[in-house]
Amino acid sequence: TLTGGVSRVIGTLGQALRFNGTDNYVDAGDMTTADGGTALSVSLWAKQVALGANQAFIAKWDFSTQGSWGFQTENTDNTKLQVFIANALIDTGGNNVATPTGSWSAGVWHHVVFTYSSGTVAVYIDGASKTLTTTGTIPSAMQNSSATVKIGKFGGSLDRYFNGSIDDVRIYNRALAPAEVKLLYNSGR
């Protein structure tokens, strides 16, 4: 469900959705593909208008009540990306990985992917795997959360709206191999 006046713009693969960073997002429902389990991959194209911290690409997380996973720009360094994996439904985000400083930039389209497999997280930007810094403990299985998947927003009391465009969102119930990530990147260049 499109919420708050999401608009359509030209994307990398046809039309993309444009988010204003203030009050609009897509609610994709409580997708069982993205729930619980020991493997997941999320792939999308994103173009941020200007660098900004705490802007969510996509999340299945209602803060401090129904946590599972979230993918966003880092909360203190807006040139990093961050993936949260909850180790309890009431998790407040202490278990996460972050890419290095300077790995993210605004104003251009980037293909971003995170994969999760039994507690191991990988993040790819434009087909290249990034070195990650881990905070907390990444659990070996994801939480089975009733939170809905939101594109362009986090959830619950932490909105973290995205200011930019998002295209070609894909969610897999397995960890993509590096060659598969590279193929997805090459398909949108």
Side-chain angles (χ1 to χ4, degrees):
T1 305
L2 301 179
T3 303
V6 175
S7 60
R8 289 178 171 76
V9 296
I10 300 299
T12 57
L13 297 168
Q15 289 190 347
L17 296 177
R18 172 69 173 91
F19 301 89
N20 65 11
T22 305
D23 65 357
N24 56 32
Y25 64 98
V26 174
D27 189 324
D30 183 12
M31 301 172 64
T32 56
T33 303
D35 237 351
T38 59
L40 180 76
S41 295
V42 175
S43 168
L44 56 90
W45 286 88
K47 180 180 179 182
Q48 195 174 24
V49 171
L51 287 174
N54 279 332
Q55 292 189 16
F57 302 122
I58 186 170
K60 184 172 176 48
W61 195 304
D62 286 341
F63 183 71
S64 78
T65 62
Q66 286 292 318
S68 187
W69 53 267
F71 195 15
Q72 69 171 41
T73 57
E74 210 255 355
N75 57 8
T76 58
D77 181 343
N78 58 20
T79 69
K80 295 180 178 183
L81 299 185
Q82 193 169 31
V83 176
F84 295 92
I85 306 290
N87 65 9
L89 289 175
I90 58 169
D91 193 310
T92 57
N95 306 295
N96 62 79
V97 299
T99 62
T101 295
S103 58
W104 174 254
S105 61
V108 295
W109 283 102
H110 292 286
H111 183 244
V112 294
V113 175
F114 88 81
T115 64
Y116 169 86
S117 179
S118 300
T120 300
V121 179
V123 176
Y124 300 83
I125 300 174
D126 296 334
S129 178
K130 298 299 176 183
T131 302
L132 301 175
T133 301
T134 302
T135 301
T137 303
I138 304 300
S140 59
M142 292 189 148
Q143 296 300 309
N144 189 4
S145 169
S146 64
T148 59
V149 173
K150 294 168 197 70
I151 302 168
K153 176 185 181 204
F154 212 75
S157 62
L158 290 181
D159 291 329
R160 298 186 176 179
Y161 291 104
F162 185 72
N163 186 13
S165 301
I166 296 177
D167 193 10
D168 194 38
V169 176
R170 298 174 187 223
I171 299 174
Y172 301 86
N173 63 355
R174 62 186 179 82
L176 295 174
E180 293 174 299
V181 172
K182 190 73 160 178
L183 184 64
L184 287 171
Y185 168 62
N186 288 334
S187 72
R189 288 193 326 164

